[in-house]
Amino acid sequence: MTKTYIFGHKNPDTDAISSALIMADFEHQTGNADATAYRLGEVGPETQYALDYFKVEAPELLTDDLTDQHVILVDHNEAQQSADSIQNATVQHVIDHHRIANFETAAPLYYRAEPVGCTATILYKMYKERGFEIKPEIAGLMISGIISDSLLFKSPTCTEEDVQAAEDLKSIADVDLESYGLDMLKAGASTTDKSEADIINMDAKTFDMGDYKTRIAQVNTVDIDEVFERRDALEKEMLEVSADEKYDLFVLLVTDIINSDSKVLVVGAEKDKVGTAFDVELDNGTAFLPGVVSRKKQVVPQITDALK
């Protein structure tokens, strides 16, 4: 049987890592014993907390050339967010909850995209539809992905389906959603031990927005000021990366997971359009964005429109 590679996006978050592991288990239950979860980047402290809590090994870092290999994508579809050799692979299945962009295949495939808060929520529905067993560790990974992407159900991307899935799964995983969720989010929220490069890369995605190549990074914290004390160093790092990677715009979204607000730092020739996107005036490249916590729903569409 041909090996099947399963992975989420570059700079993987908890949903990307968890969904790859969950999908591999799903495939095993269909009889695809050679389906294997991989990751396209380092495991962050939030994700590691979840893996350690549920005693699950992190997926192996993907280094193989995917030419002519069978692939399942989870939590992404855009080529620039995927493996470097993805254009030469045979994509058999996609499970995602993001916009569809820059994606095409040479052959038909199974594609499941739903407007929910988390890929793990879709996977939970797939297990239920097939009557597959959800083991405690798989339930824990599903809950972890949902809590991470929804910021403990506070994000505007969170739907009733996400909340209900977590409620259904908590007894299987044997966790209290509020206490476990807060501990997991806090595990990934400290930035004091991270370099400027770490901060701007640990959860960053590249988007083609019209004629502009835009990089949007997000870091969750319990203290926005802790991050912005390093504003000059962060700006310098963002400018250097933008020059190397030819980004027209680089946006760093620093999100307070307790109060559900964010502050942005923006560099690039078109940075004033970010102010336009949020109807604010940037002050030295920064602005406070009350109530903004979701990159997918509250940042990417707004900046895309402003750049048109």
Side-chain angles (χ1 to χ4, degrees), residues 273-300:
K273 291 187 178 180
V274 175
T276 301
F278 298 106
D279 195 24
V280 297
E281 186 172 340
L282 295 179
D283 179 10
N284 199 21
T286 69
F288 182 70
L289 304 177
V292 173
V293 296
S294 170
R295 173 173 51 196
K296 181 180 74 173
K297 190 168 185 177
Q298 295 175 295
V299 177
V300 172

Side-chain angles (χ1 to χ4, degrees), residues 233-246:
L234 287 166
E235 182 179 55
K236 180 175 181 291
E237 186 73 23
M238 292 164 69
L239 287 168
E240 290 176 357
V241 171
S242 294
D244 290 341
E245 301 295 334
K246 304 296 188 294

Side-chain angles (χ1 to χ4, degrees), residues 185-205:
L185 291 175
K186 285 182 175 178
S190 175
T191 60
T192 55
D193 61 341
K194 297 179 177 67
S195 68
E196 286 77 24
D198 291 336
I199 290 172
I200 70 168
N201 285 302
M202 60 185 176
D203 185 7
K205 294 182 179 180

Side-chain angles (χ1 to χ4, degrees), residues 2-298:
T2 304
K3 183 177 183 179
T4 303
Y5 293 78
I6 305 173
F7 49 86
H9 51 77
K10 292 178 178 177
N11 299 315
D13 57 10
T14 301
D15 189 28
I17 295 288
S18 294
S19 292
L21 291 164
I22 296 164
M23 188 64 195
D25 178 77
F26 181 92
E27 284 293 296
H28 295 164
Q29 294 197 51
T30 69
N32 184 1
D34 291 321
T36 306
Y38 287 89
R39 57 185 170 88
L40 300 187
E42 297 305 311
V43 176
E46 176 193 285
T47 307
Q48 192 62 56
Y49 179 91
L51 294 173
D52 291 343
Y53 191 97
F54 294 106
K55 298 179 174 57
V56 179
E57 291 291 325
E60 180 183 343
L61 182 68
L62 179 61
T63 58
D64 295 354
D65 183 349
L66 296 176
T67 299
D68 298 326
Q69 298 296 323
H70 291 177
V71 163
I72 295 175
L73 305 182
V74 294
D75 200 34
H76 76 296
N77 66 83
E78 299 187 50
Q80 69 271 20
Q81 297 175 12
S82 198
D84 292 338
S85 54
I86 191 63
Q87 302 287 14
N88 301 318
T90 300
V91 181
Q92 296 185 310
H93 203 151
V94 177
I95 306 93
D96 194 17
H97 68 125
H98 297 94
R99 70 176 191 172
I100 301 172
N102 309 314
F103 181 83
E104 61 180 33
T105 61
L109 75 161
Y110 293 100
Y111 197 111
R112 184 160 182 169
E114 298 187 25
V116 293
C118 179
T119 301
T121 299
I122 305 171
L123 290 167
Y124 169 63
K125 294 168 66 176
M126 291 167 58
Y127 272 74
K128 288 181 63 181
E129 290 162 2
R130 297 289 290 270
F132 286 169
E133 177 192 6
I134 301 177
K135 297 184 284 290
E137 64 273 21
I138 295 298
L141 293 175
M142 289 177 175
I143 286 171
S144 300
I146 293 168
I147 287 173
S148 177
D149 269 16
S150 71
L151 287 178
L152 200 51
F153 316 119
K154 293 179 181 178
S155 171
T157 61
C158 185
T159 68
E160 285 300 320
E161 289 186 74
D162 300 297
V163 176
Q164 188 59 57
E167 287 288 337
D168 293 347
L169 290 162
K170 68 180 181 182
S171 59
I172 303 174
D174 191 24
V175 295
D176 177 85
L177 296 178
E178 188 71 25
S179 61
Y180 169 74
L182 195 56
D183 287 344
M184 186 192 77
L185 291 175
K186 285 182 175 178
S190 175
T191 60
T192 55
D193 61 341
K194 297 179 177 67
S195 68
E196 286 77 24
D198 291 336
I199 290 172
I200 70 168
N201 285 302
M202 60 185 176
D203 185 7
K205 294 182 179 180
T206 302
F207 300 90
D208 291 329
M209 297 178 172
D211 295 329
Y212 301 98
K213 185 179 181 182
T214 303
R215 184 75 161 174
I216 303 179
Q218 184 171 22
V219 57
N220 293 333
T221 182
V222 294
D223 185 357
I224 288 178
D225 290 339
E226 176 188 281
V227 179
F228 274 85
E229 286 172 358
R230 304 158 69 178
R231 182 204 172 284
D232 291 346
L234 287 166
E235 182 179 55
K236 180 175 181 291
E237 186 73 23
M238 292 164 69
L239 287 168
E240 290 176 357
V241 171
S242 294
D244 290 341
E245 301 295 334
K246 304 296 188 294
Y247 297 136
D248 298 294
L249 190 65
F250 199 132
V251 180
L252 173 63
L253 185 73
V254 183
T255 299
D256 182 337
I257 61 173
I258 303 298
N259 298 306
S260 300
D261 297 315
S262 293
K263 188 174 181 178
V264 289
L265 173 61
V266 190
V267 301
E270 304 297 328
K271 67 181 182 181
D272 287 342
K273 291 187 178 180
V274 175
T276 301
F278 298 106
D279 195 24
V280 297
E281 186 172 340
L282 295 179
D283 179 10
N284 199 21
T286 69
F288 182 70
L289 304 177
V292 173
V293 296
S294 170
R295 173 173 51 196
K296 181 180 74 173
K297 190 168 185 177
Q298 295 175 295

